[in-house]
């Protein structure tokens, strides 16, 4: 019989095919917080590693959050064999695409360092414990805070609304600060990110590779960053419209990879599917085939479902009708088509599990634990480690829902 554990506003069902019940009646940014962090934010670990916030005071001119405050990161130093190895984790948290959403955002931790936590728990891929993070526990591990709303890619401003779009400058300032603290001597480096940070890891991957000499082992990891250019349930293009707003409102165009903008429009070049097969640097993609954020905000948002037909399914996959499940299977099929060419390179890696989830690398329960999600008996942490250290070629794609009983599915109330 499954055990129930009440954790600050939602329930985690521990056991086979675990479901996590989250509050849907919150703001978009708060819901993103719950989607991304779950166990990390409300960890049952009695002795979590807490890492303090460092503001980038020597930042390049103009490297500021939406409200003009200084950007920041959390750094936990490596030791032993990991003393010269660096993992940079780019924080996620959605986007803002107009005055209204960006003005709201600048009053939150996603737009101002004034609202950021002074300490964060480091769990999952950021954990300092070998039993929780077997391959990266003793590396220098950094979490770069996300306070621009354009996946660290904008460079502009809106003076009338007192908004600064300086994600690209934040990225450069953080990298310069970390290089001065020893990252320039790295013999191994991994750029990773979750959600909007997973998209940023793809956008910045080849640039990150070029920061180091050829002798440095450099790879990238995108967790829940494979946002698809797909139609919503009404036939509209909800996510393309969102991205078009982000790219134009935050002046992202000039900071997108030239390999893409040379032949596609800037909005198309904000979608990973138009980037991943052209990248030069090895990339590992971790993604749920039924990504919860994409179901709620791209595929079946309330704006595309005025009748409420998708309401229950959007909150709980167990309440989806057979026709809705077929629609979601089509989304999975599209995802697999997108990664087909990418997966042909022996340098790239995949872990696409048939779960209703979003972000699995920073959460201890989904990264590496006794009941972590697995594909062919391999947890995310082991899959990523095997790929990074060239222990094995890793191309793990799950069978379609509902075959996987190891999922930690998200269910909203």
């Amino acid at each position: 019989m499954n055990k129930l554990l009440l954790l600050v506003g939602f329930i985690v069902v521990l056991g086979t095919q675990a479901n996590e019940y989250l509050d849907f009646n919150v703001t978009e940014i708060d819901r993103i917080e719950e989607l991304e962090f779950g166990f990390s934010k409300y960890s049952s670990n009695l002795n979590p590693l807490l890492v303090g916030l460092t503001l980038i005071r020597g930042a390049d001119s103009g490297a500021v959050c939406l409200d003009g405050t200084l950007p920041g990161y959390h750094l936990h130093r490596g030791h032993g064999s990991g003393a010269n190895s660096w993992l940079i984790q780019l924080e996620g948290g959605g986007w803002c695409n107009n005055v209204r959403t960006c003005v709201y955002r600048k009053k939150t931790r996603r737009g101002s360092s004034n609202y950021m936590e002074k300490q964060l728990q480091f769990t999952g891929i950021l954990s300092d414990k070998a039993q929780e993070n077997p391959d990266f526990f003793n590396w220098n591990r950094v979490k770069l805070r996300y306070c621009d709303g354009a996946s660290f890619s904008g460079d502009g401003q809106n003076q009338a609304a007192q908004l600064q779009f300086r994600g690209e400058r934040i990225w450069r300032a953080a990298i310069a600060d970390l290089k001065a603290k020893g990252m320039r001597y790295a013999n191994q480096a991994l750029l990773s990110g979750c959600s909007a940070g997973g998209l940023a890891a793809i956008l910045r991957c080849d640039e990150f590779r070029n920061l180091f000499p050829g002798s440095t082992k450099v790879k990238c990891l995108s967790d829940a960053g494979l946002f698809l250019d797909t139609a919503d349930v009404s036939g509209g293009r909800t996510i393309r419209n969102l991205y078009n707003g982000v790219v134009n409102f935050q002046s992202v165009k000039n900071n997108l990879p030239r390999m893409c903008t040379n032949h596609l429009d800037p909005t198309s070049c904000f979608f990973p599917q138009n980037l991943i097969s052209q990248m030069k640097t090895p990339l590992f993609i971790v993604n749920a085939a039924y990504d919860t954020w994409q179901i709620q905000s791209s595929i079946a948002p309330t704006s595309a479902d005025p009748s409420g037909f998708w309401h229950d399914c959007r909150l709980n996959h167990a309440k989806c009708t057979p026709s809705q499940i077929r629609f979601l299977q089509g989304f999975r099929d599209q995802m697999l088509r997108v990664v087909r060419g990418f997966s042909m390179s022996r340098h790239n890696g995949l872990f696409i599990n048939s779960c209703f989830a979003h972000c699995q690398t920073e959460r201890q329960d989904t990264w590496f634990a006794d009941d972590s999600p697995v594909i062919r008996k391999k947890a995310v942490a082991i899959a990523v480690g095997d790929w990074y250290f060239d222990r094995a070629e890793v191309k793990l794609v799950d069978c379609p829902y509902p075959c996987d009983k190891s999922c930690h599915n998200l269910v909203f109330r």
Side-chain angles (χ1 to χ4, degrees):
M1 186 173 181
N2 290 341
K3 296 179 181 178
L4 299 182
L5 178 62
L6 183 62
L7 290 176
V8 193
F10 64 90
I11 301 171
V12 181
V13 184
L14 301 177
T16 304
Q17 191 80 21
N19 294 327
E20 301 177 20
Y21 296 86
L22 306 178
D23 183 6
F24 192 76
N25 296 311
V26 291
T27 67
E28 178 71 9
I29 288 177
D30 290 337
R31 190 160 72 253
I32 288 166
E33 290 282 330
E34 290 186 326
L35 280 168
E36 290 178 6
F37 300 111
F39 257 64
S40 294
K41 189 174 180 183
Y42 307 113
S43 176
S44 57
N45 187 339
L46 297 178
N47 188 29
L49 173 65
L50 296 173
V51 180
L53 175 66
T54 299
L55 295 178
I56 308 173
R57 300 189 183 279
D60 288 351
S61 175
V64 292
C65 298
L66 280 172
D67 69 338
T69 54
L70 293 175
Y73 58 79
H74 303 255
L75 164 64
H76 191 255
R77 290 286 188 177
H79 58 88
S81 62
N84 288 319
S85 298
W86 287 75
L87 187 154
I88 310 299
Q89 176 82 355
L90 303 178
E91 186 177 38
W95 306 271
C96 65
N97 62 331
N98 53 40
V99 169
R100 180 183 62 82
T101 55
C102 289
V103 167
Y104 174 82
R105 188 183 182 96
K106 77 173 184 176
K107 296 295 186 182
T108 75
R109 64 176 71 88
R110 293 291 182 256
S112 171
S113 56
N114 286 340
Y115 299 94
M116 290 178 185
E117 304 91 334
K118 302 311 177 193
Q119 291 185 313
L120 279 186
Q121 290 186 19
F122 269 28
T123 58
I125 197 171
L126 297 174
S127 172
D128 65 334
K129 300 174 179 63
Q131 66 271 27
E132 296 178 350
N133 188 22
D135 284 305
F136 307 106
F137 72 96
N138 64 345
W139 283 32
N140 297 282
R141 300 167 327 285
V142 179
K143 182 158 187 175
L144 178 56
R145 300 306 296 268
Y146 179 38
C147 65
D148 64 280
S151 289
F152 298 93
S153 296
D155 193 12
Q157 62 182 327
N158 184 308
Q159 291 182 323
Q162 296 182 310
L163 292 167
Q164 296 291 324
F165 309 129
R166 304 302 184 185
E168 194 270 342
R169 299 189 191 195
I170 292 171
W171 159 260
R172 283 196 284 112
I175 291 299
D177 207 54
L178 293 168
K179 287 178 73 175
K181 292 184 176 179
M183 192 174 72
R184 65 179 178 271
Y185 302 119
N187 53 36
Q188 300 182 117
L190 177 62
L191 177 66
S192 65
C194 151
S195 193
L199 169 59
I202 292 172
L203 293 169
R204 295 293 178 184
C205 182
D206 284 342
E207 181 182 341
F208 185 70
R209 159 70 272 183
N210 292 334
L211 295 171
F212 303 94
S215 58
T216 303
K217 186 185 191 77
V218 181
K219 297 187 179 185
C220 303
L221 165 64
S222 175
D223 176 14
L226 191 60
F227 297 96
L228 300 186
D229 187 2
T230 191
D232 60 40
V233 294
S234 72
R237 312 296 295 196
T238 294
I239 193 167
R240 172 164 275 270
N241 292 337
L242 168 65
Y243 276 8
N244 188 60
V246 174
V247 167
N248 288 295
F249 188 60
Q250 294 217 33
S251 303
V252 170
K253 177 181 177 180
N254 292 334
N255 298 318
L256 294 169
R258 295 288 186 270
M259 64 181 180
C260 183
T261 55
N262 285 340
H263 66 281
L264 291 177
D265 65 274
T267 299
S268 293
C269 295
F270 207 61
F271 282 100
Q273 65 198 66
N274 299 316
L275 303 170
I276 57 176
S277 294
Q278 303 175 62
M279 292 168 55
K280 299 176 182 178
T281 309
L283 172 67
F284 194 101
I285 291 175
V286 176
N287 227 95
Y290 313 98
D291 184 281
T292 312
W293 188 93
Q294 293 192 63
I295 290 172
Q296 293 186 357
S297 301
S298 170
I299 300 171
T302 54
S303 59
D305 181 39
S307 68
F309 176 67
W310 278 82
H311 177 268
D312 291 347
C313 176
R314 185 164 56 240
L315 300 182
N316 184 348
H317 61 279
K319 297 183 179 180
C320 295
T321 67
S323 67
Q324 289 170 331
I325 290 295
R326 285 195 296 274
F327 191 96
L328 297 178
Q329 298 292 19
F331 177 76
R332 173 183 178 272
D333 292 343
Q334 181 184 354
M335 184 178 293
L336 297 185
R337 288 194 298 271
V338 162
V339 300
R340 188 174 297 152
F342 163 86
S343 67
M344 293 177 67
S345 169
R346 64 182 180 86
H347 300 294
N348 294 329
L350 279 176
F351 188 101
I352 297 183
N353 54 349
S354 291
C355 303
F356 289 79
H358 184 73
C359 287
Q360 300 179 84
T361 58
E362 276 190 69
R363 297 169 45 135
Q364 197 59 56
D365 66 310
T366 49
W367 172 247
F368 192 61
D370 291 343
D371 66 343
S372 293
V374 294
I375 303 178
R376 295 177 218 154
K377 300 182 179 180
K378 190 170 285 193
V380 179
I382 302 304
V384 171
D386 283 351
W387 163 80
Y388 185 88
F389 293 102
D390 303 308
R391 296 191 293 249
E393 189 170 330
V394 182
K395 306 288 170 54
L396 295 171
V397 177
D398 219 346
C399 47
Y401 173 83
C403 71
D404 190 337
K405 305 305 180 186
S406 70
C407 290
H408 290 200
N409 291 317
L410 299 176
V411 176
F412 292 78
R413 294 186 294 200

